[in-house]
Amino acid sequence: MAHDVATKDWSPSSWQEKEALQQPTYTDEVELEEALDHVSSLPPLVTSWEVDNLKDELARAARGERFLLQGGECAESFADCTADVITSRLKILMQMSLVLTYGLNTSVVRVGRFAGQYAKPRSSDTETRNGTTLPSYRGDIVNDAAFTEEARVPDPQRMVEACSSSALTLNLVRSLSEGGFADLHHPEYWDLDFMQHSPLAEEYHAMVDSIEDTLDFLEVVTARELDSVESVQFYTSHEALLLPYEEALSRSVPHKDGIYNLGTHLPWVGKRTNQPENAHVEYARGLENPIGLKVGPDMTPTILKRLVQTLDPDDEPGELTLITRFGSDTIGDRLPGLIEAVRDTGQSVLWICDPMHGNTEKTDDGTKTRRFDNILGELEQALDIHAAEDSHLGGVHFELTGRNVTECIGGARGIAESDLGEAYESLVDPRLNYDQSLEMAFSIVRKYRALHG
Ligand code: PEP
Ligand code: CO
């Protein structure tokens, strides 16, 4: 059902009447307008049909007929817009989705945190190092991470570059997922170089062999090749944080009502900007896209009810995905009451668990990290709580990379606090590495089977 923009008193720019948190201050208005005009004139990154299809898939996930795997970088960077980074991220997402599809016996909807995840909310507007204070790094779409005055000046031209880098990323993702890369007959295409040394290699390959046997069997029985397993769909998502940029990508399309954000399939509203009366919720509420909403420990049942009614007033299937991120020692306190609050509204939403953002901690030397056990602990509790509340956990949300980094502690390979310095690459949040991500997928399956048989 398309939104009736007129009766909702909404437009892609109506957010400008509200308080917009986490926005940079651009100094040159003319440059800003020029850059936004440029972004507005560029072709869209995604189509309205894809957006509508994703909404259908998310509606299915809410009913338990699909499982959502949303994952990728905390923040993409322009420098990491390379074949190696993009393909290794796709490979781990493919491997995880294979484990989940097979283990949960459910189709997996794959949504990347990529092709647009360039804007970051920060806890402070400034950063001080050795007595020098500069504006905070707000993601490559705003400024540069280097700690110099020049680098930290917000540059509107970066929005144009973000759009181009998103297009380059998406081009490779689309080509790979439509070509032979996605062919289930050749899962070895998704093996990463260091896979052979993984403690999970054997378990993974045993599963792949069994899938191959099943495919062979089906091909013999049906006497035809199963071409449909040769392509897969990857959808994109990012935090809709930098509102002028999101507005420039919000478009009407021929023969359809309403306004679509054609910069991504699934924009989400972050925890720091999710107040019902503020600009980010205002912007998101009128879009045709399905919307993600981060829900943290500070959320109250009353505010969540208001958000559900604001963001999904027509109770449209697939419209709203609640992404909970409490922390492993807080989820037990908060989630049950919020599930009940949403039930009170009579509306249906898709619940998914982000076990990353509530479990961030700092080591003694100030390194940001997360513990595998806390991440898994929050996920397992989410599964338990939804089952106990007669609700349904329809997906998961991870910050991960296909690379062999050392940013999170724990997992089968036993990364210790003292190992974090070996390959710590993230500019913002610590990500699960390849092994930890695959282990997480197997662990979800184990827990799910223990609960649901
Ligand atoms: C994120 O997803 O990178 C993020 C900043 O999350 P949250 O808004 O939940 O803190
Ligand atoms: Co993050």
Side-chain angles (χ1 to χ4, degrees):
M1 194 196 315
H3 287 116
D4 183 342
V5 173
T7 59
K8 278 185 198 304
D9 199 17
W10 178 91
S11 78
S13 60
S14 55
W15 63 268
Q16 294 183 18
E17 311 297 317
K18 313 266 177 173
E19 186 178 3
L21 302 179
Q22 297 283 342
Q23 304 301 292
T25 312
Y26 293 104
T27 45
D28 190 326
E29 273 294 318
V30 177
E31 260 183 39
L32 175 62
E33 285 315 312
E34 277 172 9
L36 289 172
D37 285 349
H38 192 169
V39 173
S40 307
S41 71
L42 292 173
L45 294 161
V46 304
T47 68
S48 63
W49 294 288
E50 292 166 347
V51 171
D52 291 343
N53 285 342
L54 175 61
K55 202 189 277 186
D56 284 347
E57 293 281 53
L58 297 178
R60 292 199 170 106
R63 294 196 296 268
E65 301 159 14
R66 296 280 188 277
F67 193 79
L68 172 61
L69 171 63
Q70 186 177 20
E73 308 291 329
C74 179
E76 289 177 284
S77 69
F78 297 160
D80 274 349
C81 185
T82 64
D84 176 43
V85 170
I86 297 166
T87 47
S88 59
R89 191 197 292 135
L90 276 198
K91 286 176 179 181
I92 181 60
L93 285 170
M94 285 296 292
Q95 291 194 355
M96 290 175 82
S97 77
L98 194 63
V99 171
L100 292 169
T101 304
Y102 184 75
L104 308 183
N105 201 13
T106 310
S107 296
V108 169
V109 185
R110 300 167 201 85
V111 176
R113 282 176 66 111
F114 53 56
Q117 177 52 19
Y118 290 109
K120 294 311 296 174
R122 303 318 301 255
S123 41
S124 167
D125 281 345
T126 56
E127 181 184 349
T128 302
R129 287 190 206 170
N130 305 323
T132 307
T133 300
L134 295 177
S136 293
Y137 168 61
R138 292 189 170 277
D140 273 13
I141 196 170
V142 173
N143 55 6
D144 191 289
F147 195 72
T148 67
E149 200 153 346
E150 198 192 350
R152 293 294 172 92
V153 175
D155 177 0
Q157 206 49 42
R158 287 178 162 267
M159 290 190 272
V160 178
E161 195 173 347
C163 206
S164 310
S165 295
S166 299
L168 287 168
T169 302
L170 203 46
N171 183 54
L172 184 56
V173 170
R174 288 188 193 281
S175 312
L176 286 172
S177 48
E178 279 155 28
F181 171 79
D183 188 345
L184 261 184
H185 299 91
H186 293 284
E188 72 276 11
Y189 294 166
W190 318 330
D191 280 1
L192 289 141
D193 295 342
F194 43 83
M195 169 101 201
Q196 71 226 49
H197 307 297
S198 168
L200 297 162
E202 210 174 304
E203 189 173 1
Y204 177 74
H205 284 123
M207 191 198 73
V208 165
D209 288 347
S210 138
I211 293 173
E212 280 179 337
D213 289 348
T214 310
L215 284 180
D216 290 347
F217 175 73
L218 283 174
E219 286 179 346
V220 171
V221 171
T222 59
R224 64 185 184 87
E225 274 210 37
L226 298 171
D227 320 329
S228 57
V229 292
E230 282 176 15
S231 78
V232 293
Q233 174 87 45
F234 274 93
Y235 295 97
T236 63
S237 68
H238 66 250
E239 178 171 354
L241 183 67
L242 186 60
L243 291 173
Y245 175 80
E246 301 300 333
E247 181 186 331
L249 283 159
S250 303
R251 320 252 168 104
S252 57
V253 297
H255 313 298
K256 285 188 182 179
D257 292 330
I259 301 288
Y260 287 81
N261 181 323
L262 296 181
T264 190
H265 300 108
L266 175 61
W268 81 79
V269 178
K271 177 196 165 286
R272 291 178 179 80
T273 52
N274 67 6
Q275 308 77 15
E277 66 283 4
N278 281 356
H280 290 81
V281 170
E282 172 61 23
Y283 168 71
R285 81 179 169 96
L287 293 174
E288 291 306 315
N289 304 59
I291 301 295
L293 178 74
K294 291 286 198 99
V295 173
D298 54 348
M299 182 64 75
T300 66
T302 312
I303 293 178
L304 187 57
K305 277 187 200 172
R306 193 167 148 206
L307 282 164
V308 168
Q309 283 153 352
T310 305
L311 288 168
D312 183 20
D314 303 318
D315 191 17
E316 197 183 346
E319 174 68 26
L320 186 58
T321 298
L322 298 181
I323 309 166
T324 63
R325 33 86 77 228
F326 300 108
S328 64
D329 50 9
T330 316
I331 182 171
D333 255 11
R334 307 296 152 92
L335 183 57
L338 295 175
I339 293 175
E340 282 156 29
V342 173
R343 184 172 293 135
D344 280 353
T345 64
Q347 301 200 199
S348 71
V349 300
L350 168 60
W351 290 97
I352 74 170
C353 174
D354 162 3
M356 310 300 291
H357 287 89
N359 290 308
T360 315
E361 57 185 271
K362 273 195 179 159
T363 61
D364 290 341
D365 70 1
T367 310
K368 254 190 180 184
T369 190
R370 292 162 171 157
R371 291 173 196 274
F372 185 93
D373 289 347
N374 291 342
I375 297 168
L376 181 58
E378 179 163 354
L379 253 180
E380 292 187 336
Q381 289 178 74
L383 281 161
D384 281 335
I385 293 168
H386 280 285
E389 292 286 328
D390 207 14
S391 173
H392 176 72
L393 184 75
V396 285
H397 179 120
F398 292 114
E399 284 185 344
L400 53 78
T401 167
R403 288 147 75 90
N404 212 356
V405 299
T406 53
E407 298 172 4
C408 292
I409 295 173
R413 209 188 277 279
I415 294 179
E417 190 170 324
S418 53
D419 300 326
L420 292 180
E422 267 174 38
Y424 196 105
E425 296 176 6
S426 176
L427 290 176
V428 264
D429 289 341
R431 302 158 296 178
L432 295 172
N433 66 14
Y434 167 75
D435 273 324
Q436 291 167 329
S437 302
L438 193 58
E439 187 176 354
M440 202 54 79
F442 279 116
S443 306
I444 294 169
V445 168
R446 236 168 257 133
K447 176 70 186 175
Y448 196 89
R449 287 189 170 167
L451 260 178
H452 301 287

